[in-house]
Amino acid sequence: MLRRQGKSLRQIREVMGPMSNATLNDLLRGEPLPPERAGPGYAESRRRISEGVRRYWDTERARRETARAAITTAAAAQMGPLTDREILIAGAIAYWCEGSKSKPYRLDEYVRFVNSDPSLIRFFLKFLDEAGVSPERLRFRVHIHESADAAAATNHWASVTGTPPEQFARPIIKHHTPLTSRPGGNTDYHGCLQISVAKSSKLYREISGWAHGVMTTKRQSAEGR
Amino acid sequence: MRSVQEARQLRERAIALRRAGKSVRQIKEILGPIGNRTLHDALRGEPAPEWTLRPNAKDDLRAKARELRLQGLDYEEIVAHLGVSKSSVSLWVRDLPRPERVAPEQCARRTSERMRRYWAAERPVRAARRAAANAAAAACIGDLTDREILIAGAVAYWCEGAKNKPHRRVDRVTFSNSDPELISFFLLFLDTVGIPRSELAFQLQIHETADVPSAEQFWLVQTGARPEQFCKTSLKQHNPATTRKNISDDYHGCLRVDVRRSCELYRRIEGWASAVTRTAEAPDKPAAWATALLPGKDLNLHLTGPKPAVLPG
């Protein structure tokens, strides 16, 4: 009866004297909550929550992006222009990470660099220039999935490298495996560009030597800081 | 032209002189002009007098070469045995009957044997040459300044580290590699930017068929980290149809290096890497903002970011 008057459990207990929640719940089973206590209902609360989250992120995302950009641009600004030596160091390390390497089971000293990042590709070209490689020694080739547009990708890389697309070797088409869950299915996908350098075993040895020199280096004592 | 009569007379006189112990040259002098051909024809079958058979420098080798040839060796093998030139062998043995043709299998075997011998000698020579070229290039790098370590580390991270992508909005420093040298360089980079080693967590990722405990030990020594900094090793399933070649004793799997609380460091690395790669875009003129923000040559780690606490400078 008290419940039907819109009383809460606590108020009921005040009237009926000390009594455990369990007992009270047993007694009240089946009695609906009074409408002013019933709340907005499950679907409505979900909607309100997601609305709140959306509003929060609308402002928060932009704020975080700015904070993020502030740090990256400050770091980038701090770098400034690179000296020739720094370009060699950075290029050798980039090659060691992304270039083809001679292995004990595949002795192959040939400079071949594959990457999908246009800025890294451009940097590597700059590095090759710095290392004294003339542009005629470069060969370009696009590696791309068969589901993508190879011709468009070739044009894209042609503009990145500043080489006419006719000078590119026939693209290497990768078979599309429908099982893969590659998230890169966006319009930014241009495949990978392979840069090969003709007659490059000497250069390969230099690059690998530089990379080893960098990787096994010691920090220069305080003077450089 | 001599008449038949004259020719016969000449021949008889030549034979007589030969039997009298004259050399070919002496016979020529006595008989007057006579062609070598005619004289040799006339003297065929007449043994040369003992005194004209003077010793040659390599008579013993020559005899041995003929002996070997009769045993069926080919020129190359005789050359290998005696250490004389192939043309000499040819001169010495060309009148002997050719040995039977060797079967193709044997021929192939010999070729491969020769290749093996060649490469057994040549391989170390080339390896030494490669190593020398490598060492020379490495030597011209020398010690790196902090700024250079920063550049190289940022580039290495940009190549091998986990990046923030449109489909993966995570700013966190995670670097995976199988090359111990690159890993230790990355650790040096982290030292340089001021990350204490205690902020690092490692995970070994390795094929289940490899020797996991020794790989764990290897990376423990390589990184100098405490064992509790290593998470549980992640085992990759073995694919029986695999053609992977990286299965020697040198295979230690991949090591993942995670930096705790590294959101800001990630952003900085991204900035540094983009600045490095962007140098290719403005080839010769230094970017205006760079000189404006940081005048002078000393561009080392004087960080001006909002939270410089983590980083030295």
Side-chain angles (χ1 to χ4, degrees):
Chain A
M1 289 315 106
L2 291 167
R3 178 56 120 188
R4 287 190 191 149
Q5 289 161 23
K7 296 272 197 284
S8 73
L9 284 191
R10 182 171 298 168
Q11 288 163 333
I12 295 174
R13 205 178 285 128
E14 273 165 16
V15 176
M16 313 241 323
M19 197 173 202
S20 80
N21 267 351
T23 323
L24 213 41
N25 277 331
D26 268 354
L27 292 175
L28 294 174
R29 178 151 306 150
E31 289 293 326
L33 278 178
E36 67 272 20
R37 295 197 166 275
Y42 180 74
E44 175 62 13
S45 349
R46 288 303 298 261
R47 199 192 59 71
R48 285 192 199 170
I49 290 170
S50 72
E51 170 64 21
V53 168
R54 196 186 58 68
R55 267 212 312 278
Y56 173 76
W57 279 108
D58 275 351
T59 52
E60 182 65 7
R61 193 175 295 115
R63 199 187 65 71
R64 291 199 187 185
E65 280 303 323
T66 342
R68 183 173 196 286
I71 298 179
T72 48
T73 46
Q78 173 208 7
M79 188 62 80
L82 267 63
T83 63
D84 293 355
R85 172 176 152 93
E86 287 161 355
I87 290 176
L88 284 191
I89 288 173
I93 283 293
Y95 187 84
W96 203 246
C97 295
E98 306 285 15
S100 100
K101 286 166 283 287
S102 183
K103 306 272 169 162
Y105 48 84
R106 178 176 55 76
L107 207 61
D108 174 28
E109 299 187 304
Y110 192 78
V111 174
R112 195 182 290 117
F113 184 86
V114 182
N115 209 261
S116 64
D117 179 350
S119 64
L120 198 56
I121 286 285
R122 264 195 292 256
F123 176 73
F124 189 68
L125 290 175
K126 166 95 177 159
F127 159 76
L128 287 178
D129 183 40
E130 206 60 57
V133 175
S134 57
E136 333 49 284
R137 282 169 66 195
L138 303 184
R139 308 272 179 279
F140 298 103
R141 170 170 256 190
V142 173
H143 294 224
I144 194 162
H145 279 260
E146 60 187 355
S147 50
D149 182 353
T154 307
N155 285 329
H156 166 80
W157 288 113
S159 73
V160 167
T161 59
T163 309
E166 307 83 69
Q167 288 182 23
F168 278 53
R170 187 175 48 78
I172 289 185
I173 307 292
K174 298 187 197 180
H175 284 297
H176 179 60
T177 321
L179 285 177
T180 55
S181 58
R182 303 175 53 245
N186 48 19
T187 48
D188 267 0
Y189 176 68
H190 300 292
C192 282
L193 183 69
Q194 170 186 309
I195 304 175
S196 316
V197 183
K199 299 184 194 152
S200 54
S201 70
K202 183 166 172 285
L203 177 65
Y204 177 86
R205 290 172 193 180
E206 281 171 351
I207 294 179
S208 85
W210 292 332
H212 278 106
V214 171
M215 290 189 295
T216 54
T217 192
K218 292 194 297 294
R219 273 170 88 173
Q220 209 171 70
S221 41
E223 150 266 348
R225 314 184 66 185
Chain B
M1 249 341 244
R2 293 189 186 91
S3 68
V4 180
Q5 193 103 41
E6 281 169 339
R8 197 190 310 130
Q9 256 177 17
L10 207 58
R11 199 153 54 231
E12 276 160 10
R13 285 181 64 196
I15 290 170
L17 286 169
R18 187 58 148 173
R19 286 183 186 160
K22 301 276 192 243
S23 73
V24 169
R25 177 180 288 261
Q26 287 167 333
I27 295 172
K28 271 182 174 175
E29 274 167 11
I30 294 167
L31 294 183
I34 179 169
N36 267 344
R37 178 75 183 268
T38 322
L39 190 53
H40 281 292
D41 274 352
L43 295 179
R44 179 152 305 149
E46 291 296 325
E50 199 63 36
W51 69 272
T52 60
L53 296 177
R54 64 194 185 288
N56 284 320
K58 293 181 182 170
D59 276 343
D60 51 334
L61 290 174
R62 176 193 160 104
K64 219 172 272 166
R66 289 180 72 84
E67 194 182 306
L68 290 173
R69 181 61 168 178
L70 287 173
Q71 287 167 22
L73 271 63
D74 65 16
Y75 285 12
E76 294 269 358
E77 287 164 331
I78 298 174
V79 166
H81 266 86
L82 301 181
V84 293
S85 79
K86 192 166 160 184
S87 55
S88 302
V89 173
S90 166
L91 285 171
W92 294 339
V93 307
R94 57 173 58 149
D95 58 318
L96 296 176
R98 249 184 97 101
E100 286 290 299
R101 255 185 188 290
V102 289
E105 305 84 63
Q106 202 191 341
C107 205
R109 200 163 52 238
R110 278 198 213 168
T111 312
S112 71
E113 169 63 14
R114 259 175 234 144
M115 291 280 280
R116 202 192 53 69
R117 267 211 312 275
Y118 173 77
W119 280 109
E122 184 68 5
R123 201 172 292 116
V125 173
R126 293 200 185 186
R129 214 155 47 199
R130 263 199 304 277
N134 242 308
C140 68
I141 292 293
D143 288 355
L144 264 65
T145 62
D146 282 358
R147 174 177 153 88
E148 286 161 349
I149 293 177
L150 201 80
I151 291 171
V155 168
Y157 188 87
W158 204 241
C159 295
E160 306 286 17
K163 286 168 281 287
N164 186 325
K165 308 249 165 117
H167 54 267
R168 182 186 170 279
R169 282 278 175 223
V170 182
D171 284 349
R172 187 183 163 85
V173 175
T174 298
F175 185 87
S176 295
N177 212 261
S178 63
D179 183 344
E181 281 186 357
L182 195 56
I183 289 285
S184 53
F185 176 71
F186 186 67
L187 296 181
L188 175 70
F189 165 74
L190 292 179
D191 290 345
T192 309
V193 296
I195 303 292
R197 290 287 175 107
S198 56
E199 285 293 286
L200 306 184
F202 300 93
Q203 186 187 31
L204 173 62
Q205 300 168 334
I206 193 166
H207 281 84
E208 59 188 0
T209 46
D211 181 356
V212 178
S214 80
E216 286 169 346
Q217 188 55 35
F218 172 82
W219 286 112
L220 209 54
V221 173
Q222 190 69 31
T223 57
R226 284 173 287 110
E228 59 271 24
Q229 283 179 281
F230 276 74
C231 324
K232 187 161 176 259
T233 297
S234 147
L235 293 181
K236 298 190 201 179
Q237 217 167 40
H238 176 63
N239 169 12
T242 183
T243 54
R244 45 190 289 272
K245 309 253 184 359
N246 191 9
I247 45 177
S248 65
D249 288 346
D250 267 357
Y251 173 68
H252 306 292
C254 266
L255 189 70
R256 197 179 93 186
V257 183
D258 273 301
V259 184
R260 287 204 207 103
R261 284 168 282 192
S262 54
C263 172
E264 179 171 341
L265 176 62
Y266 175 83
R267 292 172 182 178
R268 273 162 204 268
I269 292 179
E270 193 177 302
W272 292 326
S274 74
V276 170
T277 55
R278 214 166 1 182
T279 51
E281 258 129 74
D284 292 322
K285 52 174 186 328
W289 42 261
T291 43
L293 279 168
L294 285 162
K297 283 275 170 206
D298 180 19
L299 297 173
N300 287 325
L301 297 163
H302 303 302
L303 298 190
T304 50
K307 265 197 286 172
V310 205
L311 304 160

